[in-house]
Amino acid sequence: MSREVAQELYLRWLQDVWGGDAPTIRKSIEELVTPDFVGHWPEREVNGAGELTEWWTKGVSFFDDLTATLVLGPIVDGDLIAARWLMSGRYAGGLPDVGAPLGKLIRVYHTDILRLRDGKVAELWANSDQVEGLKQLEAAGYNGCQWFLQENAAGS
């Protein structure tokens, strides 16, 4: 796959999968991932297009007006693509222990590394600034890095 085709695939992945509505997400995942797709997130692993679709459509259901904006890349190296992007959306409710008002704009940076095979995404390593997301959502019990500062101050 040429560098240009790989970059185009990533841009479609970004816009249609991460920034799309539920029907667009389902259709795009079916078209863009291999049957044995594996997605790696710090808190879980997702196997196959069906599980990715179920998990991601549920995740994006908590936000309205989602957009995915490319910040850096995509950088192509052989069968790997890396990029940094910004997800923006308005909180729509439904998350437990969250104090953010409905409609609050939430912006979280993400980094993706994709492995391609036969012109499709076979594997994804995804990372996001979850701490910043929790802070913006006013998640219960979240107090920034105070736990770290207090723990280190006590040990000094």
Side-chain angles (χ1 to χ4, degrees):
M1 174 180 295
S2 74
R3 178 178 306 273
E4 292 77 21
V5 170
Q7 288 173 329
E8 287 174 19
L9 185 147
Y10 182 79
L11 293 175
R12 181 166 176 224
W13 171 264
L14 182 64
Q15 295 304 313
D16 293 351
V17 175
W18 297 145
D21 58 12
T24 302
I25 292 169
R26 283 187 192 90
K27 180 178 184 284
S28 298
I29 287 174
E30 289 173 9
E31 295 172 358
L32 292 174
V33 306
T34 62
D36 60 344
F37 168 86
V38 179
H40 309 277
W41 279 265
E43 69 279 3
R44 75 172 296 151
E45 187 170 285
V46 173
N47 295 284
E51 191 175 344
L52 176 61
T53 300
E54 179 183 334
W55 184 66
W56 192 246
T57 54
K58 181 179 180 183
V60 299
S61 71
F62 301 114
F63 301 93
D64 292 326
D65 306 323
L66 270 180
T67 61
T69 305
L70 186 63
V71 175
L72 178 66
I75 301 165
V76 179
D77 184 12
D79 65 347
L80 298 174
I81 300 175
R84 180 171 168 81
W85 57 281
L86 174 65
M87 183 177 79
S88 300
R90 299 205 173 272
Y91 180 56
L95 288 172
D97 302 321
V98 165
L102 296 180
K104 180 178 182 181
L105 180 63
I106 307 296
R107 297 167 44 98
V108 179
Y109 285 94
H110 297 258
T111 303
D112 290 343
I113 300 173
L114 287 71
R115 185 174 57 81
L116 305 180
R117 186 178 68 236
D118 301 325
K120 294 188 173 194
V121 179
E123 200 161 9
L124 165 69
W125 292 267
N127 201 352
S128 63
D129 188 350
Q130 293 178 350
V131 171
E132 180 60 27
L134 292 170
K135 178 180 167 187
Q136 292 177 47
L137 287 166
E138 302 171 30
Y142 175 78
N143 62 354
C145 293
Q146 294 303 312
W147 62 270
F148 177 77
L149 296 172
Q150 290 167 356
E151 185 176 288
N152 284 320
S156 299

